[in-house]
Amino acid sequence: MIEILSLCFFDVVSSEELMTEFTLQLGTTLPLYEQIYRYVVDEIRTGRMRAGEALPSKRRLCSHLGVSMSTVETAYGMLVAEGYLESRPRSGYRVCTVRPLEPAPPPSPVPPAALFPASHVSVLSDCFSTSAVDTEAFPYASWARLSREAISRNAGLLQRGPGQGDLELRETLCRFLHQYRGVSCVPEQIIIGAGLEYLISLLLQLLPASTVLGLEDPGYHAIYRTADNLRLRSVPIPVDSQGMSADALARSPATVAYVTPSHQFPLGVTMPVGRRMELLHWAAAAPERYLIEDDYDSEFRYTTRPIPAMQGLDSGGKVVYVGTFSRSVAPSIRIAYLILPPILLDCYCRRFVHTSSTVSRFEQYTLRAFIDRGLYTRHLRRVGNLYRARCSLLTSALADLPGAQITGNNAGLHFLLWLEGREESAVCSSAAQAGFAIHGLSEYCHQVHPVCGGLVLGFAGMSASEIPERAADLRTAILRVSRL
Amino acid sequence: MIEILSLCFFDVVSSEELMTEFTLQLGTTLPLYEQIYRYVVDEIRTGRMRAGEALPSKRRLCSHLGVSMSTVETAYGMLVAEGYLESRPRSGYRVCTVRPLEPAPPPSPVPPAALFPASHVSVLSDCFSTSAVDTEAFPYASWARLSREAISRNAGLLQRGPGQGDLELRETLCRFLHQYRGVSCVPEQIIIGAGLEYLISLLLQLLPASTVLGLEDPGYHAIYRTADNLRLRSVPIPVDSQGMSADALARSPATVAYVTPSHQFPLGVTMPVGRRMELLHWAAAAPERYLIEDDYDSEFRYTTRPIPAMQGLDSGGKVVYVGTFSRSVAPSIRIAYLILPPILLDCYCRRFVHTSSTVSRFEQYTLRAFIDRGLYTRHLRRVGNLYRARCSLLTSALADLPGAQITGNNAGLHFLLWLEGREESAVCSSAAQAGFAIHGLSEYCHQVHPVCGGLVLGFAGMSASEIPERAADLRTAILRVSRL
C-alpha cells in the first residue's frame, strides 16, 4: 500500500461523523482505512484509549466492519508507522504511550493583532526610492533567453554547486572587476551570495568577537542592524565632505571600518584618494584592522569616469570588497559578491567551506553569460544614459527651490536635496500628504545631527516622462512648508 | 567629457613607456588624457610629486604637449575628481596630500599555497551522495516556460520585493503545507530564504544569547557549524531508535532542540508520535524552550504515507518549522522556508523587518506557479516512483552482504548500511580506492560512538540503469575489507 502525497488528509471531516465503535461513513471521499486511522488517533490523543490497551485483531475488525483485510492492514500499518500502536507477536496491536497535550494556555504575551501583522502595503508612492531601478530598458528578452539556456542545456546545474558560487561566474567577475573597477583578486577569493546584507553578515562572522565596527554616520541602516543582530559592537563615525573621517576613526575604538567610497550612502560623497590612503594607513597599523569597501553604487557616474576601487590601492590584504548587481541589473535578482583578503579567506575556508551557496545556479549561469557576451556592459551604457537624463531632469526641477542645494548627483541612483530653512520632518510629512514616501537625511543619522536637514531622493525608478509631474508635486509639497 | 565604463583603464602600459616630462605615446590605443592622468598618479603615489606642488596651467600644458585643451581638461578633471589634485582660484592646480604606502610587509602568517586553495575538484564519484537528485525527470520544459513567464510578464518583479518573500508564494506554501504536511500557519509566519542553512542562521539570531542548542547526535554537520559560527553554545543529544532521546534532552542544559522527525539525518529514523509528544511536553515546560523541526526530507516515503509534521501537533507556539525544495525540486535552486511561532515572529518583525529577501523574485514566481498549477505534485509522484525503484534496487544489491543490515530506507533519499564486523574507516578507504566518495556514519557522530559503523548511502542521483554496476563495485570494495 503506497500512497505518496496523493491524499488530502487534513480536509475537515468532523470526528463526530466518524463516531464511536468504528461506524464507517460510506459514500464519502475519505477512504475507509483513513476513517479507521482517524478514529483511533482521535481516541488516543484525547485519552479515551489508554496506553497498553489492546485493539481488536485485524481479522475481527474486518468482519465487524465488513471491510477488506487490506483496509484494516493499511490503517493499522499507518498507526504503527506513526507510533500510535505497536504490534507484538502473539498479543496483537496495543496502544503506545502518548501523553495527551493539555489544552494550551495562551502562548504569548503579544497582543493577537500584533502576532500576524498584515503584509506591509504602503499607500505612499515610492517613486523616489533609492533602491528602485529602471524597468523599461531591462533586457527581458536576452535575460529570458539565457535563463532558458541555463535550464535546458545543462542537467549538471541541478545538483549542488560550490559553496562560494560557480567557478565560471567567479572567473568572469574577477576579469570584469579588474578591468572596470581596478580590483585585484583571484576567483578563489570571491564568494557569490544572495545580496549584500547576507554577505556582510557572513563576513562579520569571520571577524573575532572582540571586533568593533566603525560605521558611517549618516550611513546605511542595514549594516547597523546586521551588526546588532550578530551581537557585534558598532560605533558611528562621522562622514565629512570627503567620506568617513579618518581622524574620528583613529580616535574611536573601531577595529574594522565599513565605508562606501564610490558614492557614500546617503550623502553621495566620493572619497578622494588622499582619504582612501589615510584609511589604508589606519588599517595597516594593526593586524586586526580591516576596511570593508562597499562598492554598491559604482557603475553609474555622470560627470567623470568611474573611480577605481580602494581595493586596488591596497597591497596589504586589508580591504574586503563587496559589490552587488541590485542596482546594475535588478534588486530582485539577489546576486552580490564578497572578495576576501588572504587571512579572512583562510578563516572562511576553515569555518564555512561546507556552507551551501545562496544563489540559484540557473541565475549564476544567466548572469555569467550576460556578462561574458557583452550584454552587461551594453546594458550599463544604456541605463547609464537613461539615469543621467533622469538625474538631470529631477535636479533641474528642484534646484531653484529657495534655500535648496543639491549634492551627490555626480554618480549613483540618488542625490541629496538640502533644505536650508525648512524643517526636514515637516517637509517629509507634507510630501507624505501629497502621496510620496520620502526619506529625510536624519533617518540615516545616528549621533551626527545635520545642521539643516535634507531629502534623500532616488530617480532611477521613474521614466523621464513621469519626472516633471512628480517633481512639480514634490516642489509644491516642499513649498507648502513655511521657512523658519 | 562623459565616459561610463567604456575604458579599459587597467590594461597594462608600463609606466616607463609613459616616461617623464609628459612625453606622450602617439598611436597607442590609450587616449592622451589617460596617459597624462596615469603619469601624474604615478608621480604622486611614488612620492616624486609632493603635496602642495603646483602643476603647469592647463594652457601651458596643452601648448607644451601639443594636445587640445579638452584633453588636458579631461585629465585634470579626473585627477581632481579622484582627489589627487585640487584646483584653487588664481593659483591653479596643486597636488593634494596623499601619503604614499610603504612597500607592504608580507601580510599573512598563512603559507602562500594555503592562501588561494585551488577550487575543490573531487576526483571521487559522488554518485552515492545524500544530497543529489534525479536529473532525468526534472521538468525542464515547464520550469523554463514558467521562468520565461516570470521574466517577461511582470516588470514589477524587477523591483525589491518583501523581505519575507513574495506574498503569493507564501500563500501557496501555506495551503500546500497544510494539505500535505498538516502544518498549521498563516502566510505572515512564513519566511522564504536561500536554503535551510541561511534560514537556520537567521532563526538562531532570533534566540537569546543564553540559548543552548540541543543537536542530534549523530546529526547534520551544518547545524553544529552554524551554531559555532554564531557563537551559540550547542550540546549533542543522542538519537535512539525513535529519534532524539527525550530523556537525554531533559537532562541536558539545552533550551532549544533541533530535530529531523520525518527521516532523521543520517540514521533515517522516523520519530513516532509518542516521542513527538514527549518533546512537545519538554518544550511546553519553560518559556525559552523551542523545537526546531527540520522537515527536509519529508516528501518521499516508500512504505507508508507521509507522516504529518510535528508542527501540526503543537498548540503552544513551540515548534519552528523549516523545509526546503532542495530535494523535491533541485539542490541548486536554493529555496527554503521557515515558519515562526508568534513570539519569534514578533522578534523577527522588530529586528529583521527591513532585511532584503535572499531569493530571486523570478524564481519565487516560477516556483509558485509550479505548485499552483499542479506541476509540483505531479513531479513529486513521478520522481517518488523513480526513487522508490532506485532505493529498492540499491538495497537489494547490498542487503545480502555478510553482516550487513539496512535501516532508514522507508523514506527520503538515503539509507544506512550497517557493517557488522567490518571497520568503517577501512570500508570507506576501500570505497575511495574504487573511486567512490562514501560517508561513514561516524563522520556525523559527535559524542555518541556507534558500536559498529555504517555507510550513509544516497541513491537519488543515479539512474536505475547505473545502479547495478555501481552497487557491484561498492560490494567488491566492501568485501575487500576483511571481517574483524
Side-chain angles (χ1 to χ4, degrees):
Chain A
M1 186 61 219
I2 292 150
E3 285 277 347
I4 296 178
L5 293 173
S6 59
L7 286 172
C8 167
F9 52 84
F10 291 95
D11 270 348
V12 178
V13 173
S14 90
S15 59
E16 284 155 38
E17 282 172 38
L18 293 172
M19 285 173 287
T20 46
E21 294 286 339
F22 293 147
T23 309
L24 294 170
Q25 299 281 310
L26 298 174
T28 74
T29 55
L30 205 65
L32 298 177
Y33 66 81
E34 180 75 20
Q35 296 186 39
I36 300 172
Y37 162 84
R38 289 189 183 200
Y39 172 78
V40 177
V41 166
D42 195 51
E43 294 290 288
I44 295 174
R45 291 190 53 194
T46 54
R48 288 193 293 271
M49 273 188 183
R50 306 251 174 109
E53 208 171 296
L55 273 87
S57 74
K58 290 189 282 190
R59 190 173 306 272
R60 266 190 62 192
L61 189 61
C62 60
S63 75
H64 174 72
L65 295 172
V67 297
S68 73
M69 186 55 136
S70 73
T71 298
V72 175
E73 273 176 345
T74 302
Y76 277 25
M78 282 157 51
L79 290 161
V80 170
E82 296 186 20
Y84 287 101
L85 300 185
E86 56 187 340
S87 156
R88 292 186 199 161
R90 287 163 213 263
S91 81
Y93 290 87
R94 285 177 185 277
V95 175
C96 296
T97 308
V98 178
R99 270 174 71 194
L101 274 181
E102 294 84 38
S108 148
V110 184
L115 290 183
F116 304 121
S119 63
H120 189 72
V121 179
S122 172
V123 292
L124 297 179
S125 161
D126 55 359
C127 60
F128 294 107
S129 161
T130 58
S131 68
V133 296
D134 171 76
T135 55
E136 289 170 18
F138 185 79
Y140 296 101
S142 42
W143 195 265
R145 181 169 41 80
L146 296 174
S147 192
R148 180 179 195 88
E149 193 178 297
I151 296 166
S152 332
R153 185 179 278 187
N154 192 346
L157 280 186
L158 284 180
Q159 306 293 12
R160 194 171 186 272
Q164 285 187 234
D166 285 358
L167 184 61
E168 293 77 7
L169 175 58
R170 286 183 282 131
E171 283 169 346
T172 290
L173 258 179
C174 195
R175 280 193 299 273
F176 183 85
L177 293 172
H178 180 66
Q179 192 171 352
Y180 290 100
R181 304 293 307 125
V183 167
S184 160
C185 71
V186 292
E188 286 73 16
Q189 287 175 274
I190 302 181
I191 295 158
I192 309 288
L196 275 183
E197 288 166 46
Y198 165 74
L199 287 173
I200 287 171
S201 149
L202 172 67
L203 166 64
L204 298 187
Q205 293 176 59
L206 300 175
L207 301 172
S210 57
T211 299
V212 179
L213 272 180
L215 301 180
E216 293 175 334
D217 185 8
Y220 184 35
H221 270 324
I223 306 300
Y224 281 86
R225 285 198 308 271
T226 304
D228 285 350
N229 286 332
L230 291 167
R231 301 176 182 109
L232 222 51
R233 191 179 156 206
S234 64
V235 290
I237 310 284
V239 172
D240 62 25
S241 63
Q242 304 203 320
M244 180 181 277
S245 159
D247 292 340
L249 177 63
R251 283 193 307 268
S252 81
T255 55
V256 173
Y258 165 90
V259 286
T260 50
S262 283
H263 192 231
Q264 202 270 338
F265 189 86
L267 294 179
V269 171
T270 298
M271 190 184 287
V273 70
R275 181 64 58 84
R276 293 174 190 226
M277 298 308 273
E278 280 183 80
L279 294 181
L280 286 167
H281 279 283
W282 170 85
E288 71 276 17
R289 289 189 183 168
Y290 288 100
L291 295 168
I292 304 172
E293 177 178 26
D294 180 349
D295 210 23
Y296 74 103
D297 211 7
S298 61
E299 295 83 2
F300 303 109
R301 278 197 86 76
Y302 310 124
T303 51
T304 55
R305 64 168 201 178
I307 288 178
M310 188 162 70
Q311 197 266 9
L313 295 174
D314 169 38
S315 52
K318 285 300 194 174
V319 176
V320 180
Y321 181 86
V322 286
T324 176
F325 290 95
S326 283
R327 284 157 202 248
S328 56
V329 179
S332 66
I333 70 154
R334 316 310 303 139
I335 310 185
Y337 41 94
L338 171 68
I339 302 179
L340 293 175
I343 294 183
L344 294 177
L345 179 65
D346 183 57
C347 179
Y348 173 85
C349 290
R350 278 183 287 109
R351 290 172 41 207
F352 286 87
V353 74
H354 292 104
T355 302
S356 302
S357 168
T358 47
V359 182
S360 156
R361 295 184 76 193
F362 290 151
E363 294 209 333
Q364 291 189 55
Y365 179 100
T366 304
L367 177 63
R368 203 258 312 140
F370 191 66
I371 300 173
D372 278 357
R373 300 184 197 174
L375 298 163
Y376 180 54
T377 46
R378 192 193 299 172
H379 174 65
L380 286 178
R381 266 194 298 273
R382 197 168 160 205
V383 291
N385 288 331
L386 292 177
Y387 291 156
R388 186 182 314 109
R390 292 175 193 180
C391 181
S392 145
L393 267 173
L394 188 58
T395 51
S396 333
L398 300 171
D400 64 341
L401 278 165
Q405 200 200 336
I406 285 168
T407 61
N409 58 332
N410 57 341
L413 305 187
H414 75 272
F415 59 79
L416 212 81
L417 174 67
W418 298 88
L419 292 165
E420 177 77 51
R422 282 194 173 82
E423 209 191 339
E424 183 189 291
S425 61
V427 172
C428 290
S429 306
S430 175
Q433 279 167 24
F436 297 117
I438 298 283
H439 297 284
L441 176 58
S442 47
E443 285 184 47
Y444 304 98
C445 292
H446 295 262
Q447 290 189 343
V448 165
H449 294 289
V451 183
C452 69
L455 306 182
V456 183
L457 297 176
F459 47 80
M462 288 179 284
S463 68
S465 59
E466 286 174 279
I467 290 178
E469 195 186 325
R470 301 283 172 88
D473 290 348
L474 182 60
R475 272 184 80 96
T476 312
I478 294 170
L479 290 169
R480 205 179 295 132
V481 178
S482 49
R483 299 191 74 182
L484 299 176
Chain B
M1 184 62 217
I2 291 150
E3 285 278 347
I4 295 178
L5 293 173
S6 59
L7 287 172
C8 167
F9 53 83
F10 292 95
D11 270 349
V12 179
V13 173
S14 90
S15 60
E16 283 154 40
E17 282 173 38
L18 292 173
M19 284 173 291
T20 46
E21 294 287 340
F22 293 147
T23 309
L24 293 170
Q25 298 282 310
L26 298 173
T28 73
T29 55
L30 205 66
L32 298 177
Y33 66 82
E34 180 75 20
Q35 296 185 39
I36 300 172
Y37 162 83
R38 287 190 185 202
Y39 171 78
V40 177
V41 166
D42 196 52
E43 294 291 287
I44 295 174
R45 291 191 51 196
T46 54
R48 287 191 296 269
M49 272 189 183
R50 305 251 173 112
E53 209 170 294
L55 272 86
S57 72
K58 290 188 283 189
R59 190 173 306 274
R60 266 192 63 194
L61 189 62
C62 61
S63 75
H64 175 72
L65 294 173
V67 297
S68 74
M69 187 55 138
S70 75
T71 298
V72 174
E73 273 175 347
T74 302
Y76 277 23
M78 282 157 51
L79 291 161
V80 169
E82 296 186 20
Y84 286 101
L85 300 186
E86 55 187 339
S87 156
R88 293 187 199 160
R90 289 162 211 262
S91 81
Y93 291 87
R94 286 178 183 275
V95 175
C96 295
T97 308
V98 178
R99 269 175 71 194
L101 275 180
E102 293 84 38
S108 151
V110 185
L115 291 184
F116 304 120
S119 63
H120 189 72
V121 179
S122 170
V123 292
L124 297 179
S125 161
D126 55 359
C127 60
F128 295 106
S129 160
T130 57
S131 69
V133 296
D134 172 76
T135 55
E136 289 171 17
F138 184 79
Y140 295 102
S142 40
W143 195 266
R145 180 169 43 78
L146 295 175
S147 193
R148 180 179 196 87
E149 193 178 298
I151 296 166
S152 332
R153 185 178 278 185
N154 192 346
L157 280 185
L158 284 180
Q159 306 294 12
R160 194 170 187 271
Q164 288 188 230
D166 284 357
L167 184 62
E168 294 77 6
L169 175 57
R170 285 183 283 132
E171 284 169 345
T172 289
L173 257 179
C174 195
R175 281 194 298 272
F176 183 86
L177 292 173
H178 181 66
Q179 192 170 353
Y180 290 99
R181 304 294 307 127
V183 167
S184 161
C185 71
V186 293
E188 286 73 15
Q189 286 175 276
I190 302 182
I191 295 156
I192 310 287
L196 275 183
E197 287 166 47
Y198 165 73
L199 288 173
I200 287 173
S201 149
L202 172 65
L203 167 64
L204 297 187
Q205 293 177 59
L206 299 176
L207 301 172
S210 57
T211 299
V212 180
L213 272 180
L215 301 180
E216 294 175 333
D217 186 9
Y220 184 36
H221 270 323
I223 307 300
Y224 281 87
R225 285 196 310 270
T226 303
D228 285 352
N229 286 332
L230 291 168
R231 302 176 181 108
L232 222 50
R233 191 179 156 205
S234 63
V235 290
I237 312 284
V239 172
D240 62 26
S241 63
Q242 304 204 319
M244 178 180 279
S245 159
D247 292 340
L249 178 62
R251 283 193 307 270
S252 80
T255 56
V256 173
Y258 166 90
V259 286
T260 50
S262 283
H263 192 231
Q264 201 271 336
F265 190 86
L267 294 179
V269 170
T270 298
M271 189 184 286
V273 69
R275 180 64 58 85
R276 293 174 189 226
M277 297 307 273
E278 280 184 79
L279 294 181
L280 285 168
H281 278 284
W282 170 85
E288 71 275 19
R289 288 188 184 169
Y290 288 99
L291 295 168
I292 304 171
E293 177 178 25
D294 180 348
D295 211 22
Y296 75 103
D297 210 7
S298 60
E299 294 84 2
F300 303 109
R301 279 197 85 75
Y302 309 124
T303 53
T304 56
R305 63 166 200 178
I307 289 178
M310 187 162 71
Q311 199 264 10
L313 296 174
D314 169 37
S315 52
K318 284 301 193 173
V319 176
V320 180
Y321 181 85
V322 286
T324 175
F325 290 95
S326 283
R327 285 158 201 247
S328 56
V329 178
S332 65
I333 71 156
R334 317 309 303 140
I335 309 186
Y337 42 94
L338 171 68
I339 301 178
L340 292 175
I343 296 181
L344 294 177
L345 179 65
D346 183 58
C347 178
Y348 172 85
C349 290
R350 278 184 287 108
R351 289 171 42 207
F352 286 87
V353 74
H354 292 105
T355 303
S356 302
S357 168
T358 48
V359 181
S360 156
R361 295 184 76 190
F362 291 151
E363 294 210 333
Q364 291 190 56
Y365 179 100
T366 305
L367 178 62
R368 204 257 313 141
F370 191 65
I371 300 173
D372 278 356
R373 300 183 197 174
L375 298 163
Y376 181 54
T377 48
R378 192 193 298 172
H379 174 66
L380 286 177
R381 268 196 297 273
R382 196 168 162 205
V383 291
N385 288 331
L386 292 177
Y387 291 157
R388 187 183 314 111
R390 291 173 194 182
C391 181
S392 146
L393 267 172
L394 187 59
T395 51
S396 331
L398 300 171
D400 65 340
L401 278 165
Q405 201 201 336
I406 285 168
T407 61
N409 57 331
N410 57 341
L413 305 187
H414 76 272
F415 59 79
L416 213 82
L417 174 66
W418 298 88
L419 293 166
E420 176 78 51
R422 281 192 173 84
E423 208 192 339
E424 183 189 290
S425 61
V427 172
C428 290
S429 306
S430 175
Q433 279 167 23
F436 297 117
I438 298 284
H439 297 284
L441 176 58
S442 47
E443 285 183 47
Y444 303 98
C445 292
H446 296 260
Q447 290 189 344
V448 165
H449 294 290
V451 184
C452 70
L455 306 183
V456 183
L457 298 176
F459 47 81
M462 288 180 284
S463 68
S465 59
E466 287 175 276
I467 290 178
E469 195 185 325
R470 301 281 171 87
D473 290 348
L474 181 60
R475 271 184 79 97
T476 312
I478 294 169
L479 290 169
R480 207 180 292 132
V481 177
S482 49
R483 300 191 74 185
L484 300 176

